[in-house]
Amino acid sequence: LVEQHSPTLFKLVHGPNFPAAVQALLLLWQIMNAHMAISDRFYRALYQALLSPEAVRSSKSAQLLALLFKALKADVQQRRAAAFVKRLLQVASEAAPSFTCGALIVVSETFKAKPGLWALVQESEAEGAQEEHFRDAPGSDDEGSDRSGGGGEGQ
């Protein structure tokens, strides 16, 4: 059943109609949760729905937050759950007060259900900064300044 209908449901999730996307995500959650087979594809689709501009102003915002809470509680990958929490807080910072309050409740209840998640949210930011730190190769600045400086002086 999951293999047969999930491609169609995922097409709805990625479509332009946000309320239909939320309903499709809810149905996917129920099907996958019943079979104990929640896929990475589901979490990617949920993350994309959270990034949609419609997420904060739709009539389905409450359902999206409720689904997000269920999915975060059931997620076995702590790093992915931490990424969801961070993204939810980023989205909530630009949203209407009603969405922001709902998002903060979801975050609070998620931290109650997964006490170690807060430490991971804090740690992953520091680790991510180290992983994404890039430096120029030694001598690359010297070569560029020699060429431009030498050419200007000789003319």
Side-chain angles (χ1 to χ4, degrees):
L1 181 68
V2 175
E3 294 85 19
Q4 184 181 11
H5 295 290
S6 65
T8 304
L9 290 172
F10 279 112
K11 283 182 185 177
L12 285 172
V13 169
H14 298 296
N17 187 349
F18 186 76
V22 172
Q23 290 297 326
L25 281 169
L26 286 166
L27 186 55
L28 281 166
W29 169 258
Q30 289 177 349
I31 293 169
M32 291 181 174
N33 196 31
H35 290 95
M36 299 292 184
I38 302 168
S39 68
D40 290 338
R41 186 177 180 191
F42 169 80
Y43 282 103
R44 280 192 307 269
L46 183 60
Y47 195 82
Q48 183 180 351
L50 186 60
L51 291 175
S52 170
E54 292 293 315
V56 297
R57 60 178 180 250
S58 172
S59 62
K60 299 291 185 182
S61 296
Q63 288 179 329
L64 179 66
L65 289 173
L67 175 61
L68 183 60
F69 175 64
K70 290 178 202 175
L72 286 175
K73 244 176 51 172
D75 197 358
V76 294
Q77 292 187 17
Q78 294 284 16
R79 293 222 180 266
R80 179 170 54 202
F84 265 99
V85 168
K86 286 180 178 184
R87 182 59 62 177
L88 180 59
L89 290 173
Q90 287 174 343
V91 169
S93 71
E94 300 292 324
S98 59
F99 184 89
T100 302
C101 288
L104 291 174
I105 290 170
V106 168
V107 170
S108 173
E109 293 299 316
T110 302
F111 287 153
K112 285 180 189 175
K114 295 184 172 211
L117 190 59
W118 176 242
L120 186 60
V121 167
Q122 290 176 324
E123 288 174 12
S124 65
E125 187 66 34
E127 290 172 8
Q130 291 173 356
E131 291 174 5
E132 294 182 8
H133 183 72
F134 299 101
R135 294 186 182 184
D136 290 336
S140 64
D141 287 334
D142 296 336
E143 290 175 8
S145 62
D146 287 345
R147 269 188 253 148
S148 62
E153 289 176 19
Q155 291 181 2

